Amino acid sequence: MSRRLRDTARAYLFVSPWLISLAVFTAYPMLASFYFSLTRYTVIQPPAWIGLENFQVMFSKDELFWLATWNTLYYTVVSVPLQMLVALLLATLLNHSTRGIGFYRTAFYLPSLVPAVVTTLLWMLILDPRAGLANAALEALGLPKLGWMHSATWSKPSLILISLWVGVGQPMLIFLAGLKDTPQSLLEAATIDGANRWQRYWRVVIPLLTPTIFFNLLITLIASFQVFTTAFIATATATGATAAGPLNSMLVYMVHLYRQGFRYSSMGYASAMAVVLFLALVLLTLLVVRSSRGWVHYEGAPPR
Amino acid sequence: MNLRRWTEPVLSHLLLIAVALLFLIPLWWLLITSIKPLDQILTIPPIWWPPSPQWQNYVDTLTSPAFPFWQLMGNTLFYCVVSTIGTVVSSAVVAYAFARMRFVGRDLLFAITLATLLLPGVVTLIPTYVLFQRMGLVGTYAPLIVPYFFASAFNIFLLRQFMLTIPVELSDAAHVDGAGDFRVLWQIILPLVKPALIVVAIFNFIYAWNDFLGPLLYLDDSSRYPFSIGLYAFRSRFALQWNLITAAALTITAPLIAAFFALQRYFIEGVTLTGVKG
């Protein structure tokens, strides 16, 4: 018994950095976020309890909150499935071709290494509404030029385009590794049973990949709801305009939160926004996990 | 049948090449803009290679007081190197306990660790800032670096998975010879998980190099800026000088691309591990 106690004590010495981190950088800030959300807090003065006022203001008075929520939903709902689909398509194509795989892999992955500041500035140049490369291409194709980030309609698609350039490489590599792990024996068995290639792909390869798809989907979703740097830089114009893009069309949730907390020092309100996003993401995670029982196939699990 | 055997790979390669070009052209544009004179940047039709490349742009940018290159480099390297050492060492020690030691509450603690992988960073952002502010550390690198010395869920997970693949007999034998846990970790386990340590180090280094929100929140004095914020500040001074902005941008991106080509194996392995084993 005392041996076990000694072992445990020693092990806790080893995990102590992580325990401290969990307490100081995770548990405490989480609880404090909930507490601050119920206060008026400007950092200069101690938090003053105001009950649910922040939430009332948020839901009924702050129109920008709803706009930011809409912008973020729009961005996420389009960008995440696109990222997953393009990554899966590219991985599937690469899985069948051995020639040049190194080149393609590098080409698709390199953008995800580029610092977000560089990515955003580079795309602001490419998407320049007067004579950027994107509009030059549209004009060469005989299509009308677009306003991109200078248009309320096209600014969110612009952000989504950037997210694709940056966000496809990583899941593509992960899917590719998953595809390469498909057991040859299963594919052969399916062939013997008369399955054609299409059927083998949809009935064998994809179901085996669903755990990987599920994991990537979850991580990308959570990250996408918290998109910040691209929108922040794209909207922090040199002229000092207060709107985040034309008609605030690029005011995503985190940019609104950042402005409330760090520009207007409304830490209480920003915390309330953080709590709302956190609860929404927990709910979403639970929903995705729950839905996964229907579509994620784990090897060794009984068929349903 | 024969036709299909031919057309399919050809079509597949055509599609792949088209997409690869879409991914690479922006990077080419970054390079090419940085050596153009100002009047050749926003043109229709676009200029793919300037008639007389203007390498002087790099001299102008790197000697500009608005982009104090060596200072930015020093700050960035400081942030990257110290945080990387911090997280590699602390995560390895914690991972060892999860992989090799028996203790009460281990499985629960590990489950909590995995759960925090999904924790949205937004919910800890503000109180963490307030905490460092009360300690008078806003404006220094402490808020950016200190957390790295207390391990991270992701790195613990990755290193633990690696350590579990090492035969227990190896560490058992060392224990029998009287080696303590620290020695087993240092002399037996760490050398065997070197590839994983390198993966963790690379990804952490790049994360810190690219970090924007952290320095934006915590650093106010421009003499402490790393590259990310330095470029952002440079751009607000030279809003329309795209050739200089891209020269600065490429300067801070090139080391990452070079690192990728030098350490490609670890990159691919690292990304793959993070996804498949998760």
Side-chain angles (χ1 to χ4, degrees):
Chain A
M1 193 62 210
S2 77
R3 167 88 203 264
R4 196 167 156 217
L5 211 62
R6 219 175 42 229
D7 281 357
T8 291
R10 199 170 45 217
Y12 272 94
L13 180 70
F14 274 67
V15 295
S16 60
W18 180 232
L19 287 177
I20 293 170
S21 173
L22 278 176
V24 178
F25 299 120
T26 307
Y28 159 73
M30 265 179 78
L31 294 173
S33 277
F34 278 85
Y35 169 62
F36 288 165
S37 76
L38 301 169
T39 66
R40 180 175 298 125
Y41 187 25
T42 56
V43 184
I44 307 158
Q45 286 180 337
W49 184 268
I50 53 168
L52 292 172
E53 198 185 299
N54 285 326
F55 295 94
Q56 274 162 4
V57 171
M58 194 187 310
F59 293 138
S60 60
K61 293 209 184 87
D62 184 2
E63 282 166 27
L64 289 181
F65 166 79
W66 290 110
L67 184 59
T69 303
W70 159 248
N71 288 339
T72 308
L73 276 174
Y74 180 129
Y75 172 82
T76 302
V77 166
V78 181
S79 122
V80 174
L82 272 181
Q83 282 179 51
M84 294 294 114
L85 274 177
V86 175
L88 191 56
L89 173 73
L90 293 177
T92 304
L93 289 177
L94 277 187
N95 193 33
H96 287 292
S97 61
T98 42
R99 214 173 287 171
I101 188 168
F103 165 74
Y104 294 126
R105 222 167 40 179
T106 305
F108 301 144
Y109 182 68
L110 273 187
S112 55
L113 285 178
V114 178
V117 199
V118 174
T119 303
T120 315
L121 294 178
L122 173 61
W123 279 92
M124 286 168 79
L125 170 68
I126 291 173
L127 299 177
D128 184 275
R130 284 161 300 145
L133 189 56
N135 274 350
L138 287 178
E139 200 163 274
L141 295 170
L143 297 166
K145 290 197 221 170
L146 297 175
W148 299 112
M149 293 189 189
H150 295 258
S151 133
T153 317
W154 288 99
S155 57
K156 278 187 283 290
S158 304
L159 293 181
I160 292 164
L161 189 64
I162 300 174
S163 80
L164 280 178
W165 190 66
V166 177
V168 161
Q170 211 138 304
M172 186 274 299
L173 284 182
I174 294 169
F175 289 152
L176 184 59
L179 288 173
K180 294 230 178 287
D181 276 351
T182 311
Q184 212 55 42
S185 57
L186 280 181
L187 291 175
E188 277 157 20
T191 314
I192 291 165
D193 288 347
N196 62 29
R197 269 180 38 173
W198 192 248
Q199 285 166 329
R200 284 202 303 264
Y201 185 68
W202 286 107
R203 300 287 173 82
V204 180
V205 177
I206 291 294
L208 286 174
L209 198 62
T210 45
T212 311
I213 297 175
F214 167 70
F215 176 75
N216 278 288
L217 179 71
L218 206 53
I219 296 286
T220 317
L221 264 180
I222 293 173
S224 179
F225 271 101
Q226 297 178 86
V227 58
F228 176 77
T229 310
T230 328
F232 176 82
I233 294 169
T235 58
T237 50
T239 52
T242 47
L247 302 174
N248 272 316
S249 55
M250 290 194 279
L251 183 77
V252 292
Y253 200 95
M254 281 302 288
V255 169
H256 191 46
L257 188 153
Y258 172 86
R259 290 177 165 199
Q260 296 304 318
F262 298 96
R263 191 181 287 178
Y264 309 130
S265 294
S266 307
M267 290 293 189
Y269 189 78
S271 296
M273 281 190 73
V275 165
V276 168
L277 182 57
F278 170 69
L279 292 178
L281 286 177
V282 169
L283 199 68
L284 184 75
T285 304
L286 290 177
L287 278 175
V288 174
V289 170
R290 206 184 170 91
S291 86
S292 75
R293 288 178 205 161
W295 62 273
V296 176
H297 171 95
Y298 286 103
E299 250 174 293
R304 51 184 73 243
Chain B
M1 190 63 209
N2 231 347
L3 189 71
R4 201 177 142 184
R5 193 174 287 176
W6 263 97
T7 52
E8 232 171 65
V10 170
L11 281 179
S12 149
H13 271 287
L14 280 180
L15 191 58
L16 283 170
I17 287 173
V19 182
L21 279 180
L22 286 178
F23 275 76
L24 290 176
I25 284 175
L27 289 175
W28 174 256
W29 207 242
L30 181 67
L31 170 69
I32 218 66
T33 307
S34 71
I35 53 169
K36 280 179 177 178
L38 212 47
D39 60 356
Q40 289 177 18
I41 294 170
L42 290 166
T43 60
I44 293 180
I47 295 168
W48 294 98
W49 179 260
S52 50
Q54 198 170 292
W55 298 99
Q56 181 65 25
N57 292 340
Y58 280 90
V59 180
D60 291 350
T61 305
L62 299 184
T63 56
S64 163
F67 193 73
F69 178 74
W70 291 110
Q71 192 182 0
L72 295 169
M73 173 74 108
N75 291 337
T76 308
L77 281 180
F78 172 72
Y79 178 22
C80 292
V81 170
V82 178
S83 65
T84 299
I85 292 172
T87 197
V88 169
V89 172
S90 57
S91 302
V93 171
V94 177
Y96 175 82
F98 279 123
R100 277 293 189 271
M101 300 168 92
R102 262 177 233 272
F103 58 96
V104 183
R106 182 183 70 183
D107 295 344
L108 175 68
L109 190 58
F110 191 66
I112 293 173
T113 305
L114 289 186
T116 64
L117 279 175
L118 293 176
L119 188 79
V122 62
V123 76
T124 58
L125 186 72
I126 287 162
T128 309
Y129 178 85
V130 171
L131 185 72
F132 282 117
Q133 219 223 14
R134 287 224 193 99
M135 295 164 82
L137 292 172
V138 167
T140 73
Y141 268 92
L144 300 174
I145 285 176
V146 169
Y148 283 104
F149 281 81
F150 295 90
S152 90
F154 184 70
N155 295 339
I156 293 171
F157 173 69
L158 195 78
L159 293 174
R160 169 190 176 263
Q161 300 305 94
F162 249 88
M163 290 178 183
L164 285 178
T165 64
I166 296 169
V168 194
E169 292 76 24
L170 280 178
S171 33
D172 280 353
H175 278 307
V176 171
D177 289 346
D181 280 309
F182 269 111
R183 248 183 74 193
V184 171
L185 171 64
W186 185 251
Q187 293 186 338
I188 294 170
I189 305 286
L190 286 190
L192 289 172
V193 297
K194 218 164 98 190
L197 295 175
I198 295 176
V199 166
V200 168
I202 290 176
F203 281 94
N204 193 80
F205 193 93
I206 290 177
Y207 180 83
W209 185 282
N210 291 352
D211 187 16
F212 183 82
L213 181 57
L216 178 74
L217 286 182
Y218 289 110
L219 302 175
D220 36 25
D221 182 352
S222 64
S223 71
R224 295 211 167 132
Y225 284 171
F227 276 135
S228 58
I229 304 287
L231 176 63
Y232 176 67
F234 181 69
R235 181 253 169 182
S236 38
R237 287 276 293 277
F238 293 90
L240 295 170
Q241 306 257 43
W242 280 112
N243 47 2
L244 302 187
I245 295 169
T246 47
L250 190 63
T251 308
I252 77 173
T253 310
L256 297 179
I257 294 181
F260 172 77
F261 282 110
L263 302 164
Q264 213 179 97
R265 186 165 68 87
Y266 294 107
F267 274 88
I268 308 282
E269 196 177 329
V271 175
T272 313
L273 277 171
T274 62
V276 174
K277 295 216 170 149

